[in-house]
Amino acid sequence: MIQSISSAIFSEHRPVQIIPSVLPADWANMGQCVKDLELAGVDRIQFDVMDGNFVPNLTFGPEMISACRKYCKVPFETQLMVSQYNCETMLEGYVEASKGSNGEPGVVIAHAEANVHLHRILGRIRQLGGSPSVALNPHTPMDMVKDVLDMVDHILVMTVNPGFGGQAYIPTMLNKITQLRKIILENGYNVDIEVDGGIKADWSLSQCCAAGANCFIAGSGMFAYPTLKEGCDALRKVANDAQNGIIVEK
Ligand code: DX5
């Protein structure tokens, strides 16, 4: 059961954003894939950077992300599931690679758990011309980031333990989303809430939206459809419905 959300929070609609993760894509044709995602109508594209240290999986670095830039104009976001050393030493490369086709700030997501100097990292992302965002693993309480919410444009609530696509959504993250939306509104912060992990065009997305999230990352939940456009449209419909009070129950 969703805990009832006061109308103040619900009426504060932030634009719905549908953001595919490229983890399920054909990596041998990533350029074509980002072009296809753009044609499918997505709002941003997420690149999952994993270094085999912060998470038990390995993906790609800034070069792969930069190489995709010339194939589309859709904004990029880079989730840094990497160690503190990797984040600090390669940050400039990640920020540059994530920028838009005209140098617009790209979203760069640092994990709260990986960075003991999180405030400094978020400041550097902004300084380097990026759009800072911070991510929370499922076990990490929102208190870990409430003192940096004034520095970020987005906060990412992981709804799976990071490292792999295709995992089951963790429904107990809803309270954390509600708490974050409340503190963001009470302080007048201009911050989007993203959710990532096991998000599908069903009750998982619907309940996260009702709790206050407005950006939805989906890997298997988008690539499972016959076409990417059908996947994008299905996710967007559930989100728009939820913002209009039509909530899908489990
Ligand atoms: C997992 C990644 C997610 C993942 C989502 O660590 O951060 O972005 O790719 O994939 P699904 O939607 O299949 O859970």
Side-chain angles (χ1 to χ4, degrees), residues 22 25-40 45 47 64 67-72 76 223 228:
V22 297
D26 172 6
W27 290 19
N29 289 305
M30 196 68 99
Q32 185 58 46
C33 175
V34 297
K35 205 175 192 169
D36 294 344
L37 287 168
E38 179 172 59
L39 293 171
I45 294 173
F47 291 88
M64 159 73 98
C68 290
R69 187 67 274 171
K70 60 181 173 293
Y71 289 89
C72 72
F76 286 173
F223 284 80
L228 294 171

Side-chain angles (χ1 to χ4, degrees), residues 21 23 46 48 50 79 81 158 160-167 196-200 217-221:
S21 149
L23 222 53
Q46 185 189 75
D48 297 292
M50 303 179 186
Q79 183 186 354
M81 289 167 273
M158 290 301 301
V160 295
N161 287 293
F164 304 95
Q167 299 180 84
D196 182 7
I199 298 295
K200 308 258 186 295
I217 289 118
S220 50

Side-chain angles (χ1 to χ4, degrees), residues 80-101:
L80 299 177
M81 289 167 273
V82 300
S83 66
Q84 176 170 315
Y85 173 80
N86 183 285
C87 190
E88 291 182 349
T89 54
M90 293 183 66
L91 193 63
E92 194 161 351
Y94 291 127
V95 173
E96 278 311 307
S98 308
K99 285 183 176 171
S101 32

